[in-house]
Amino acid sequence: MDKKQKIKTAAESGTKTPEAPQGMEAPEVATPSETAEPAEATNAPEASSSLLADYLTGGYYKGEGQKRYPAPTLVEQAEEIGKALAGGGVSATAFNRMLRTLKAAKKLPFDAQQGAIKKLMPQVLDLERKKKAPPLLRELVERNRAAVKSSEDYAACLDHFQDIAVFLTAAQTEKK
């Protein structure tokens, strides 16, 4: 019996996953983010389609120790992302709802902050389902979630999302 048949049989019988024969381990299942194709290496995100390939690869900061400072390129990227999200149909209200989720955990322990970032994904999926958000929003949340490794990173992520919100709102008001 192949893998798909085993899963189908397990689903029909009510078990969560098929058990592997003794001595064999069950294969790992890739998550959607692991199977997603990498973003193209471009100098600017295409209109609401993809982030830069090097977006957040070095984290939110440059330098080490006391000479550490927020990466200046994040502000430029926030402007591009805000404009692309506005062009993709994301409303300032929807993005600000996500921002409030992050702000609520600002002074909480790091595990609560991680939970707040994870909480953004259901909001993004709901917006996508309603056709009110491009795939860029999901990619933005996934990359930021992967980049946050400490409370300092969380604070920088929150600041970055606030910058994006400002540029998103500005782009929408220019349209009017």
Side-chain angles (χ1 to χ4, degrees):
M1 196 179 332
D2 71 352
K3 184 177 171 182
K4 289 181 181 178
Q5 290 172 327
K6 286 180 184 178
I7 293 172
K8 184 178 179 183
T9 304
E12 290 170 355
S13 68
T15 60
K16 290 185 179 178
T17 57
E19 294 186 24
Q22 197 169 15
M24 293 181 67
E25 294 182 18
E28 291 185 29
V29 178
T31 62
S33 63
E34 293 171 340
T35 58
E37 293 183 24
E40 280 186 32
T42 59
N43 292 334
E46 295 173 337
S48 68
S49 67
S50 182
L51 294 172
L52 294 169
D54 63 346
Y55 174 70
L56 292 179
T57 54
Y60 296 96
Y61 298 99
K62 299 285 183 193
E64 296 288 325
Q66 291 185 351
K67 298 194 185 255
R68 189 170 136 178
Y69 58 94
T73 57
L74 285 179
V75 176
E76 295 165 5
Q77 291 171 345
E79 182 176 10
E80 293 173 14
I81 293 167
K83 288 178 180 178
L85 289 175
V90 177
S91 70
T93 303
F95 197 82
N96 286 334
R97 187 177 313 115
M98 294 170 55
L99 195 54
R100 280 191 303 275
T101 300
L102 294 176
K103 284 181 181 179
K106 183 179 180 179
K107 294 181 181 180
L108 298 176
F110 182 61
D111 60 335
Q113 293 171 345
Q114 286 179 313
I117 289 179
K118 289 178 183 177
K119 179 73 175 141
L120 296 182
M121 193 51 69
Q123 294 175 10
V124 169
L125 294 173
D126 188 47
L127 290 171
E128 283 182 347
R129 180 184 60 80
K130 294 176 181 176
K131 309 251 186 274
K132 294 183 177 182
L136 175 68
L137 185 60
R138 181 191 303 208
E139 187 178 357
L140 173 72
V141 170
E142 287 173 348
R143 294 248 198 125
N144 277 276
R145 187 173 68 185
V148 173
K149 302 195 185 322
S150 67
S151 288
E152 290 174 336
D153 287 342
Y154 186 84
C157 174
L158 176 58
D159 188 45
H160 183 53
F161 268 68
Q162 288 172 327
D163 291 346
I164 293 170
V166 168
F167 288 118
L168 171 68
T169 303
Q172 286 182 337
T173 55
E174 285 178 6
K175 286 182 185 179
K176 293 180 181 178

